[in-house]
């Protein structure tokens, strides 16, 4: 490839990418999706039952919320819950993401006859924020994207041999897609087989008769095999009727119900409209959103001269977009399996892409890094009244922030390296984001070991602002019997300490809690607040970060409390 993206640059960014994906893998504050804690809950409950099936859960209406593959992986990676950490739960996701990037590299390198282009495609895909956000936590997305991508990577890699295969490729593709269904949903058989049909149609030079005679049976075989793999869940589970009720009818068929007013109106307006689906799909690229748009513009301009493989990539994207336009619940997350195709297109057009998309990415990176630096300095340095900072960062953190800012500024003004630095800057921003919250992963954000030991096997009430939030507290208070109350009440010390003998309460930074005569503080830690009012957000932007962005959490014991019955409503459920 021409330009500044040399092999030396590629290897350096590859090493940076590997470090970025490994760094803070076990962090509670790593970018993720709220589904992770409910999934952890299902794994823990199922592991405690001692059986792979049926899946177990104490959450109302959430038991068979997803097929069992990802939960089985969680059971295996944690040794049936015996090694319960975020790292042991998340490392299989990281392996899936790494394998997807590797096979994307192989496929693009093969059909482009350029290993640097293949490596660039893999790096661009890893630089997408959606890949980072969904490709590391304990979620269904990493296995889904991997298994769905494999058949398409195979067609791009082997070409004629795979397209003309009468049995071997259809059988392997059926198994691969079936594993994706067993990880996410049987519904994915529709876009996958639709995309394969378009691939075969293009292979037959857009001849429908040839497609029907020579390839239609292959798609049918793939669909039946894939659904057969998924059907193993019904065969192995002792309560298949519950799967049908909760997963098939509730989780999947319910997505076609009108979300607000009317199906057709929802299609063109509101948060679930077709336009929002398009926007959120593009937003999966994160900082590279305008780079992706510029690549699609180039595809349009070159539409008469697209290569065979470029056409296939666009057909894959089109198939998934059309299918997931049909449900009334539309989200760019459903199109995560086509993000490798977007990355491949960016890599193929890399030299021809205009600089404005990359400069916009660098500008976003500069804003993010500057904001993190400003927040960090406010948290570490004393204010003009002499009030001490909340915590101290290591020298390595400030070196990372300074080097990242300088590199991004260099990319903005040094035209020859703008594209390469914009790509590296994505990974640096992710490292900076995790590093900025690293003090909370140390002693500052955790209870002392003596506190953990004191509450083992005890009933402890903790604040919950979303389902299964107590799974996070199990990482902080292992061995305790946890129950949830509404997070909005976390500051009501009098009410909480009178109702619960052992309770975690929260107080603004710098304001010590007023305790009852019989109350005793067992432990203290700092926590980041998740939700803020409009006034609090304005105060944070004015520099009052410590007062509103973070709180002190106290674990309080009150033997005189009159506990509520345990069978009452648990806010975490």
């Amino acid at each position: 490839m021409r330009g500044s993206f040399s092999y030396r640059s590629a290897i350096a960014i590859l090493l940076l990418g590997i470090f970025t994906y490994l760094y803070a893998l076990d962090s509670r504050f790593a970018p993720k999706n709220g589904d992770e804690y409910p999934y952890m809950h299902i794994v823990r409950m199922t592991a405690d039952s001692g059986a792979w099936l049926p899946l177990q859960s104490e959450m109302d209406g959430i038991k068979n919320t997803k097929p069992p593959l990802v939960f089985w992986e969680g059971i295996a990676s944690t040794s049936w819950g015996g090694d319960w950490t975020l790292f042991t739960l998340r490392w299989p996701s990281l392996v899936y993401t790494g394998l997807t990037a590797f096979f994307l590299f192989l496929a693009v390198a093969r059909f482009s006859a350029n290993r640097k282009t293949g490596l660039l495609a893999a790096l661009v895909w890893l630089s997408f924020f959606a890949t980072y956000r969904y490709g590391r936590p304990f979620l269904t997305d990493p296995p889904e994207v991997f298994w769905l991508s494999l058949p398409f990577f195979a067609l791009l890699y082997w070409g004629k041999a795979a397209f003309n295969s009468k049995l071997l490729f259809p059988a392997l593709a059926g198994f691969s897609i079936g594993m994706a269904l067993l990880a996410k949903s049987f519904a994915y058989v529709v876009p996958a087989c639709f995309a394969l049909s378009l691939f075969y149609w293009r292979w037959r030079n857009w001849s429908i008769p040839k497609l029907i005679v020579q390839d239609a049976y292959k798609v049918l075989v793939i669909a039946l095999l894939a659904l057969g793999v998924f059907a193993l869940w019904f065969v192995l589970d002792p309560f298949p009727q519950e799967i049908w009720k909760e997963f098939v009818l509730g989780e999947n068929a319910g997505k076609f119900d009108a979300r607000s007013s009317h199906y057709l109106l929802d299609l063109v307006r509101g948060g679930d409209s077709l336009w929002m689906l398009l926007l959120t799909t593009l937003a999966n690229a994160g900082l590279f959103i305008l780079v992706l748009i510029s690549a699609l513009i180039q595809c349009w301009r070159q539409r008469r001269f697209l290569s065979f493989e470029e056409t296939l990539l666009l057909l894959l994207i089109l198939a998934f977009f059309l299918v997931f336009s049909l449900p009334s619940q539309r989200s760019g997350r459903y199109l995560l399996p086509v993000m490798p195709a977007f990355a491949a297109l960016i890599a193929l057009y890399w030299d021809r892409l205009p600089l404005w998309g990359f400069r916009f990415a660098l500008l976003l990176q500069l804003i993010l890094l500057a904001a993190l630096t400003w927040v960090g300095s406010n948290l570490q340095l004393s204010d003009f009244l002499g009030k001490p900072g909340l915590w101290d960062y290591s020298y390595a953190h400030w070196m990372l922030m300074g080097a990242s800012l300088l590199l991004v500024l260099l990319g903005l003004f040094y035209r020859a390296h703008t594209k390469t630095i914009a790509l590296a800057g994505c990974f640096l921003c992710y490292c900076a984001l995790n590093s900025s919250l690293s003090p909370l992963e140390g002693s500052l954000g955790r209870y002392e070991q003596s506190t953990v030991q004191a509450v083992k096997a005890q009933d402890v009430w903790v604040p919950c602002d979303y389902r299964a939030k107590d799974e996070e507290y199990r990482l902080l208070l292992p061995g305790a019997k946890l129950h949830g109350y509404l997070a909005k009440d976390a500051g009501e010390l009098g009410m909480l300490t009178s109702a619960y003998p052992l309770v975690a309460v929260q107080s603004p930074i710098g304001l010590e809690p007023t305790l009852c005569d019989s109350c005793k503080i067992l432990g203290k830690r700092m926590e980041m607040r998740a939700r803020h009012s409009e006034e609090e957000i304005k105060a944070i932007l004015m520099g009052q970060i410590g007062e509103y962005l973070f709180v002190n959490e106290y674990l309080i014991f009150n033997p005189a409390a009159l506990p509520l019955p345990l069978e009452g409503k648990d806010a975490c459920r």
Side-chain angles (χ1 to χ4, degrees):
M1 294 178 66
R2 307 186 311 273
S4 60
F5 194 78
S6 61
Y7 271 116
R8 186 181 303 175
S9 300
I11 297 302
I13 298 177
L14 174 62
L15 294 175
L16 174 61
I18 293 173
F19 173 80
T20 300
Y21 272 74
L22 289 172
Y23 177 55
L25 181 63
D26 59 345
S27 172
R28 293 181 295 119
F29 304 101
K32 58 181 181 290
N33 179 269
D35 291 340
E36 183 174 42
Y37 288 134
Y39 292 171
M40 289 172 60
H41 173 78
I42 294 173
V43 169
R44 182 177 58 82
M45 295 296 297
T46 306
D48 288 346
S49 73
W52 296 99
L53 287 171
L55 300 176
Q56 302 292 330
S57 171
E58 293 178 342
M59 294 179 290
D60 295 338
I62 299 183
K63 182 169 68 173
N64 294 307
T65 183
K66 287 292 182 289
L69 182 61
V70 70
F71 306 119
W72 290 344
E73 291 169 359
I75 291 173
S77 67
T78 61
S79 301
W80 289 86
D83 187 10
W84 193 253
T85 65
L86 286 176
F87 179 83
T88 55
L89 283 162
R90 289 174 175 173
W91 71 257
S93 296
L94 198 60
V95 171
Y96 274 123
T97 300
L99 288 173
T100 303
F102 177 68
F103 286 117
L104 174 61
F105 156 72
L106 291 180
V108 177
R110 178 66 176 266
F111 74 72
S112 68
N114 192 324
R115 285 182 295 179
K116 200 189 304 181
T117 305
L119 182 54
L120 180 57
L123 291 174
V124 169
W125 179 66
L126 291 173
S127 75
F128 290 162
F129 182 67
T131 307
Y132 185 74
R133 180 187 178 189
Y134 296 108
R136 299 200 319 156
F138 179 64
L139 297 170
T140 58
D141 304 283
E144 167 213 352
V145 172
F146 172 74
W147 290 111
L148 276 178
S149 298
L150 272 186
F152 301 100
F153 289 163
L155 289 170
L156 291 168
Y157 185 90
W158 277 294
K160 181 179 179 179
F163 276 109
N164 289 337
S165 173
K166 296 182 178 180
L167 182 60
L168 181 60
F169 173 78
L172 294 177
F175 172 78
S176 183
I177 294 174
M179 293 296 287
L181 306 189
L182 203 57
K184 187 76 170 198
S185 171
F186 66 91
Y188 275 86
V189 73
V190 178
C193 288
F194 180 36
L196 285 171
S197 299
L198 294 179
F199 270 45
Y200 280 116
W201 188 26
R202 175 64 187 89
W203 176 249
R204 301 301 175 186
N205 292 315
W206 309 112
S207 172
I208 293 181
K210 289 183 179 179
L211 171 69
I212 295 174
V213 173
Q214 300 183 47
D215 302 309
Y217 80 92
K218 300 177 186 177
V219 178
L220 180 61
V221 168
I222 291 171
L224 292 176
L225 284 175
L227 291 172
V229 173
F230 174 79
L232 291 175
W233 185 16
F234 287 84
V235 174
L236 298 175
D237 197 293
F239 304 105
Q241 68 277 7
E242 294 298 320
I243 301 174
W244 179 263
K245 177 182 176 182
E246 296 174 29
F247 183 72
V248 177
L249 299 181
E251 180 74 11
N252 288 271
K255 287 184 169 59
F256 284 88
D257 296 334
R259 300 278 285 179
S260 57
S261 55
H262 187 275
Y263 176 84
L264 294 179
L265 291 178
D266 291 345
L267 185 66
V268 295
R269 71 181 187 186
D272 291 294
S273 66
L274 198 62
W275 320 117
M276 285 302 297
L277 176 62
L278 177 61
L279 179 60
T280 53
T281 299
L282 296 174
N284 284 334
L287 299 168
F288 259 30
I289 182 171
L290 289 193
V291 176
L292 174 56
I293 292 174
S294 68
L296 294 176
I297 292 173
Q298 288 295 318
C299 288
W300 174 254
R301 290 174 176 173
Q302 301 290 325
R303 60 189 181 279
R304 295 182 180 180
F305 309 101
L306 292 174
S307 68
F308 175 75
E309 290 80 11
E310 290 170 18
T311 304
L312 294 184
L313 293 171
L314 290 170
L315 288 174
L316 174 60
I317 296 167
L318 178 65
F320 273 72
F321 185 83
L322 290 177
V323 170
F324 285 109
S325 298
L326 299 178
S328 56
Q329 182 178 334
R330 302 175 184 91
S331 169
R333 187 177 176 185
Y334 298 149
L335 273 79
L336 288 178
V338 303
M339 295 313 294
F342 280 126
L345 290 172
I346 291 175
L348 291 169
Y349 284 94
W350 185 264
D351 288 333
R352 288 172 280 177
L353 295 180
L355 291 181
W356 53 264
F358 296 93
R359 284 177 173 156
F360 181 78
L362 286 167
L363 183 61
L364 292 179
Q365 293 165 16
L366 182 63
I367 294 172
L368 175 60
L369 291 169
L372 291 174
T373 302
W374 176 74
V375 170
S377 62
N378 273 272
L379 292 172
Q380 176 159 336
L381 302 178
S382 301
D383 63 17
F384 65 93
L385 295 176
K387 184 179 177 181
L390 293 182
W391 60 50
D392 290 322
Y393 286 109
S394 66
Y395 289 116
H397 170 78
W398 292 117
M399 290 174 63
L400 169 65
M401 301 305 296
S404 300
L405 282 168
L406 288 175
L407 188 64
V408 169
L409 286 170
L410 179 65
L412 279 170
F413 297 104
Y414 195 11
R415 190 182 170 90
H417 295 288
T418 293
K419 295 180 179 181
T420 302
I421 294 177
L423 180 57
C426 294
F427 297 109
L428 290 173
C429 284
Y430 304 151
C431 289
L433 185 62
N434 280 310
S435 181
S436 296
L437 291 172
S438 59
L440 289 179
E441 290 297 339
S443 58
L444 188 67
R446 296 182 180 274
Y447 291 112
E448 294 182 355
Q449 193 60 34
S450 58
T451 303
V452 175
Q453 293 297 326
V455 300
K456 272 195 172 181
Q458 302 295 315
D459 291 300
V460 181
W461 278 260
V462 296
C464 281
D465 52 5
Y466 51 86
R467 277 188 166 184
K469 170 75 172 185
D470 58 314
E471 295 301 332
E472 179 178 342
Y473 277 90
R474 292 183 195 281
L475 303 169
L476 300 169
L477 297 170
K481 300 176 182 177
L482 300 177
H483 314 277
Y485 66 85
L486 294 177
K488 67 181 181 64
D489 298 328
E492 303 293 333
L493 274 65
M495 179 190 73
L496 293 172
T497 54
S498 63
Y500 307 119
L502 259 177
V503 61
V505 302
Q506 295 177 351
S507 177
I509 300 294
L511 182 63
E512 295 296 321
T514 302
L515 301 178
C516 63
D517 293 337
S518 59
C519 293
K520 177 184 177 182
I521 295 178
L522 299 183
K524 172 187 175 182
R525 72 183 187 94
M526 187 180 293
E527 180 64 294
M528 185 171 71
R529 291 181 57 189
R531 297 178 180 179
H532 304 85
S533 66
E534 185 176 345
E535 291 74 18
E536 289 171 338
I537 293 174
K538 291 179 180 178
I540 291 172
L541 295 176
M542 294 301 294
Q544 296 175 285
I545 299 171
E547 292 86 343
Y548 296 104
L549 192 57
F550 301 95
V551 293
N552 279 329
E553 185 174 273
Y554 298 87
L555 197 57
I556 298 178
F557 173 59
N558 181 15
L562 299 175
L564 297 175
L566 292 180
E567 61 269 16
K569 180 70 173 179
D570 191 324
C572 293
R573 299 291 174 259

